[in-house]
Amino acid sequence: MMRAKTRAGVLLAAIGLALVFLAPAAAAVAAPAARPGVDASAVTDFWTPENMRAAKPLDSPLKTVERVAGTVAKGLPSLVAPSASATTSGSAWPGGGKVTKTAGRVFFLFNGVKASCSGDAVTSGNKSVVITAGHCVKYQGSWHTDWVFVPGYDDGNAPHGEWVAATTLTTPQWEASEDINYDVGAAVVSPLNGRYLTDVVGGQGIAFNQPRNQAMYSFGYPAASPYDGTKLIYCAGTTFTDFLLSRDNGLRCDMTGGSSGGPWFLSFDETTGMGVQNSVNSFGYNFLPGYMFGPYFGSDAQTLYNTAAAR
């Protein structure tokens, strides 16, 4: 997760069911930016339990008002359906269900430094899409390397395997200027042992251009104090629209670095652990502790997902 200030401060990065209702994206939406991955075996050889435990949350630089303010393009509602009512600002997930398999930690090298984020497997035609934050795939002009998704991460263990990105993608707005309104990323992971990601762990639903200010659940693997990256943490409550430096969704949440890219769900069922993803953990303000913000999934996020799903 990122922590943001105004000009006087620093923004720190903290770093599915198959029924589809798709509408065309707005004509003005630009194509996502993408980076090919690398040799999968070399990546999994590198990410040993020791290296995963050693990965640190990401930090990000100053964001000015001009760079983060703006309007997110909105098109027609679109929903890929998933195959409560709790309120918490950051507790270990006490249940089971699909979310314990679809959510996971993301590991990568950022300019040679071992770093971590969070991510989530979503329903897609290629069965291989992971949704995360934009700064979890590309940051400060540099695409991350050796990118791997570990669903159901368990203190250095990968109970469902390590899934290496064949391609990572982000929105054109994040690619061009790191506009916090569009801090969304995706990865298309390679098959593992002849199987596809969502055939192994399942896939959550995903939705775009939905009404704001709804009840949502947020999940992630925060690794900065007081958390240590070993547990799946969640927040739940009614969201609001950021009225400060962005047009993001806001939620009471104490998650810290490493939770970036973790999923936000609409219509989440605590019993089944299934929901419809509609944002990701992105940033928080240093002067407003206890709140998390995540980008609105509009037409650009939809185009990003469609592009990833078609790879």
Side-chain angles (χ1 to χ4, degrees):
M1 182 188 71
M2 301 183 187
R3 287 283 163 194
K5 290 185 178 179
T6 59
R7 290 177 181 275
V10 179
L11 175 67
L12 298 179
I15 314 248
L17 289 168
L19 187 60
V20 180
F21 303 94
L22 292 178
V29 176
R35 177 191 184 278
V38 295
D39 177 68
S41 61
V43 175
T44 54
D45 286 346
F46 174 79
W47 286 112
T48 62
E50 293 73 23
N51 279 343
M52 287 191 285
R53 293 189 187 101
K56 303 298 183 184
L58 216 56
D59 285 342
S60 86
L62 180 69
K63 298 288 181 187
T64 66
V65 173
E66 289 81 4
R67 290 185 68 184
V68 299
T71 301
V72 179
K74 183 175 180 180
L76 298 175
S78 170
L79 171 67
V80 180
S83 34
S85 60
T87 299
T88 177
S89 62
S91 305
W93 175 239
K98 182 176 285 190
V99 71
T100 63
K101 293 183 177 181
T102 65
R105 287 188 77 179
V106 171
F107 298 94
F108 50 86
L109 295 182
F110 170 51
N111 293 332
V113 177
K114 295 184 286 290
S116 73
C117 278
S118 300
D120 184 54
V122 296
T123 294
S124 63
N126 61 13
K127 304 180 181 181
S128 302
V129 175
V130 177
I131 298 295
T132 186
H135 67 270
C136 297
V137 297
K138 184 180 186 294
Y139 189 55
Q140 294 182 344
S142 174
W143 288 92
H144 306 322
T145 61
D146 296 86
W147 201 101
V148 64
F149 176 58
V150 184
Y153 175 85
D154 182 19
D155 193 19
N157 298 309
H160 309 294
E162 298 180 17
W163 299 80
V164 178
T167 303
T168 50
L169 311 89
T170 189
T171 60
Q173 295 87 350
W174 183 261
E175 158 74 14
S177 63
E178 295 182 357
D179 185 335
I180 204 69
N181 288 293
Y182 298 90
D183 185 18
V184 189
V188 180
V189 296
S190 299
L192 180 63
N193 299 323
R195 303 183 69 189
Y196 292 96
L197 175 63
T198 59
D199 284 340
V200 175
V201 302
Q204 299 284 0
I206 189 165
F208 307 95
N209 298 302
Q210 301 299 299
R212 290 179 177 268
N213 308 329
Q214 298 194 61
M216 297 183 76
Y217 284 66
S218 166
F219 288 83
Y221 282 85
S225 180
Y227 304 102
D228 60 8
T230 62
K231 296 181 178 66
L232 180 63
I233 305 298
Y234 82 112
C235 301
T238 300
T239 62
F240 60 94
T241 300
D242 183 17
F243 53 87
L244 296 170
L245 305 185
S246 78
R247 292 291 296 162
D248 281 15
N249 302 299
L251 179 68
R252 285 294 304 267
C253 191
D254 296 324
M255 281 196 273
T256 60
S259 63
S260 281
W264 291 34
F265 295 115
L266 295 170
S267 304
F268 186 78
D269 187 317
E270 292 186 345
T271 302
T272 63
M274 295 165 60
V276 179
Q277 185 166 352
N278 196 227
S279 188
V280 295
N281 298 321
S282 176
F283 78 98
Y285 294 107
N286 280 340
F287 55 81
L288 190 63
Y291 288 88
M292 176 82 75
F293 294 86
Y296 179 79
F297 273 18
S299 297
D300 291 275
Q302 179 182 350
T303 298
L304 174 66
Y305 163 77
N306 288 341
T307 302
R311 296 262 171 153

